Amino acid sequence: MKNIIVAIDGPAGSGKSTIAKIIADRYSFTYIDTGAMYRMITLYCLDNNIDFEDELAIKNVLDNISLDMQGDKFFLNNKEVTKEIRETRVNENVSKIASIRIVRENLVNLQRKISQGKNVILDGRDIGTVVFPNAQIKIYLIASPEERAKRRYKELIQKGTEISYDEVLKSIKERDYIDSTRKESPLMKADDAVELDSTGLKIDEVLDFISKKIEEKL
Ligand code: DC
């Protein structure tokens, strides 16, 4: 039987990873958090003072680092970086790294490779448009910037981060702008994706919708 690929795309904070994790658990699918991959490359470049504009240096980084994911833990060159990849400095720079073509080519290849022979659910920005244009299920999950900022703000405050709601909203809007206007694989709804606005939906409604689609294919 053909493996099932579920693609969930959408802007930062729309709830993609929450949904993808629950669905992966429910059906024993492999969950691939593609944003975390861009984050790990960003972290490496920041820690090693790599100039984002220096294409040769970036290529070197890509040829020499290993990215690994085990459950909800992330490893960069065998060192766990699960917390570090969510730091503000990474949030502020990841869009720049994600707009570099060789970075995207490299990570898209990796995403395809680790999905081989499995039922997978991937979340990102270009899964339904570029990584797996033939995915059987494509969801484009959105929510208003204010709603997304509210959720992110709550998360950060719970973690003890000192930040204001306005700063979070500003950063979400900036990230949306860069992600959707970049030249390389901009954030975009695939023509055949179903758009769900989670601002007006309960999480269970989104989960039920996707679950039904999966069960039709199993
Ligand atoms: O989903 P996230 O917030 O962890 O993503 C981090 C950044 O990576 C975000 O600015 C967009 C980018 N990204 C991307 O360009 N393509 C993906 N498939 C996943 C993330």
Side-chain angles (χ1 to χ4, degrees):
M1 212 177 75
K2 213 164 168 257
N3 292 303
I4 298 173
I5 297 172
V6 184
I8 307 199
D9 291 303
S14 58
K16 300 182 300 289
S17 65
T18 309
I19 300 285
K21 274 184 214 159
I22 299 175
I23 292 285
D25 263 8
R26 188 175 284 178
Y27 296 100
S28 301
F29 279 25
T30 300
Y31 166 49
I32 302 174
D33 176 349
T34 64
M37 297 180 175
Y38 291 93
R39 288 172 177 273
M40 284 195 269
I41 305 228
T42 307
L43 179 68
Y44 184 90
C45 290
L46 291 172
D47 283 349
N48 293 281
N49 294 315
I50 307 286
D51 178 358
F52 291 2
E53 311 264 306
D54 184 346
E55 207 171 298
L56 207 65
I58 297 277
K59 189 174 177 314
N60 227 340
V61 168
L62 294 168
D63 289 342
N64 292 299
I65 59 173
S66 74
L67 307 181
D68 196 17
M69 282 155 277
Q70 290 167 24
D72 52 7
K73 294 201 169 83
F74 298 93
F75 299 85
L76 173 62
N77 291 337
N78 301 317
K79 179 180 169 270
E80 189 179 350
V81 291
T82 311
K83 275 212 191 94
E84 288 87 337
I85 60 169
R86 309 286 164 196
E87 284 172 6
T88 310
R89 64 192 178 112
V90 175
N91 290 342
E92 280 170 356
N93 286 285
V94 64
S95 289
K96 289 179 216 148
I97 285 290
S99 62
I100 303 173
R101 188 207 291 208
I102 45 166
V103 172
R104 303 204 67 83
E105 283 173 356
N106 191 287
L107 291 185
V108 167
N109 284 337
L110 181 63
Q111 289 152 19
R112 290 182 182 146
K113 198 169 136 204
I114 56 183
S115 300
Q116 258 170 26
K118 301 183 189 110
N119 289 330
V120 286
I121 180 160
L122 302 97
D123 77 344
R125 307 293 188 285
D126 59 341
I127 311 300
T129 50
V130 176
V131 186
F132 287 116
N134 296 324
Q136 293 92 330
I137 301 167
K138 294 187 188 179
I139 307 292
Y140 192 71
L141 194 62
I142 59 166
S144 70
E146 290 73 19
E147 172 69 23
R148 291 184 282 127
K150 215 164 73 189
R151 294 178 193 163
R152 194 64 24 124
Y153 174 69
K154 216 168 115 190
E155 249 171 53
L156 290 168
I157 293 297
Q158 270 166 2
K159 275 194 246 154
T161 314
E162 271 187 45
I163 195 156
S164 71
Y165 167 80
D166 286 344
E167 280 173 277
V168 179
L169 181 62
K170 184 166 166 268
S171 137
I172 288 236
K173 285 186 173 167
E174 269 168 16
R175 214 128 65 84
D176 282 357
Y177 180 76
I178 302 180
D179 292 344
S180 54
T181 56
R182 71 179 177 220
K183 226 170 66 209
E184 302 297 331
S185 314
L187 168 66
M188 201 166 68
K189 178 184 161 304
D191 288 339
D192 53 351
V194 179
E195 181 170 302
L196 293 176
D197 185 344
S198 73
T199 320
L201 288 178
K202 294 201 182 71
I203 187 164
D204 280 344
E205 292 177 288
V206 179
L207 291 170
D208 284 352
F209 183 86
I210 302 175
S211 297
K212 252 191 223 127
K213 296 242 168 220
I214 292 179
E215 280 161 29
E216 282 166 17
K217 313 269 174 203
L218 283 174

